[in-house]
Amino acid sequence: NWGWYAFDPKTNLIYFGTGNPSPWNETMRPGDNKWTMTIFGRDADTGLAKFGYQKTPHDEWDYAGVNVMMLSEQKDKDGQVRSLLTHPDRNGIIYTLDRTNGDLVSANKIDDTVNEFKSVDMKTGQPIRDPEYGTRMDHLAKDICPSAMGYHNQGHDSYDPQKQLFFMGVNHICMDWEPFM
């Protein structure tokens, strides 16, 4: 974890993201690489994790999930006010979690050009990969969007509670990728 942090005094939780696994050649490291690319909510007094949500299991694109954690209070579909955490990730998905328990509220593409994932399964929280844009050995993946730089990188973002709008800078850069030993 080397990115941005947020603190909620009501929950006494510190929120942060963890980076990507290595080596970048995904063929050399099987499995989900648990706890990489994860949003954590940890108790500020004990350091114990209250929750962890892994956004990109087995990250194969170097997305390093450490970007800003924006805290907000917003009404849900039923009109109930919820304490939320919104995280625009380098993988091109904007995640919103209930910051009291880590439940996934939404996971939406920044725009339609994001192609390494078809969507995020809201029941499991897992991204649905498009194998055409995978980085496996002996496969040249062309026009992977976003690039390793990500659609959102380490820039500062903000939330306007009066307008209920998020303001963020994004990149629109794609890449080709062919791993080798």
Side-chain angles (χ1 to χ4, degrees), residues 89-100:
D89 199 65
R90 277 173 56 178
N91 71 11
I93 307 291
I94 299 174
Y95 297 90
T96 298
L97 306 179
D98 182 313
R99 74 175 184 254
T100 65

Side-chain angles (χ1 to χ4, degrees), residues 134-156:
T135 65
R136 63 196 174 274
M137 290 296 294
D138 302 319
H139 171 71
L140 171 58
K142 290 187 162 280
D143 297 319
I144 301 169
C145 300
S147 73
M149 178 187 291
Y151 271 3
H152 183 280
N153 207 323
Q154 298 176 48
H156 292 282

Side-chain angles (χ1 to χ4, degrees), residues 23-29 58 60 131 134-141 177-181:
W24 291 350
N25 183 337
E26 64 90 26
T27 306
M28 299 172 72
R29 54 170 173 78
H58 193 75
E60 54 191 287
T135 65
R136 63 196 174 274
M137 290 296 294
D138 302 319
H139 171 71
L140 171 58
W177 191 302
E178 184 176 21
F180 55 90
M181 290 294 195

Side-chain angles (χ1 to χ4, degrees), residues 153-164:
N153 207 323
Q154 298 176 48
H156 292 282
D157 299 320
S158 64
Y159 174 71
D160 182 331
Q162 279 75 41
K163 294 181 180 177
Q164 295 189 342

Side-chain angles (χ1 to χ4, degrees), residues 82-137:
R82 291 182 80 175
S83 296
L84 302 175
L85 177 153
T86 300
H87 170 81
D89 199 65
R90 277 173 56 178
N91 71 11
I93 307 291
I94 299 174
Y95 297 90
T96 298
L97 306 179
D98 182 313
R99 74 175 184 254
T100 65
N101 59 21
D103 287 350
L104 182 62
V105 174
S106 67
N108 299 297
K109 294 180 178 187
I110 288 176
D111 67 32
D112 290 338
T113 61
V114 173
N115 62 15
E116 87 284 41
F117 300 134
K118 295 177 182 182
S119 63
V120 174
D121 182 323
M122 292 302 293
K123 289 183 180 157
T124 66
Q126 297 293 303
I128 309 301
R129 285 173 154 75
D130 186 331
E132 180 62 30
Y133 303 104
T135 65
R136 63 196 174 274
M137 290 296 294

Side-chain angles (χ1 to χ4, degrees), residues 67-86:
N67 294 337
V68 66
M69 305 287 165
M70 294 182 282
L71 307 183
S72 66
E73 304 284 332
Q74 297 182 52
K75 289 183 181 178
D76 64 16
K77 296 176 212 170
D78 300 324
Q80 301 297 312
V81 175
R82 291 182 80 175
S83 296
L84 302 175
L85 177 153
T86 300

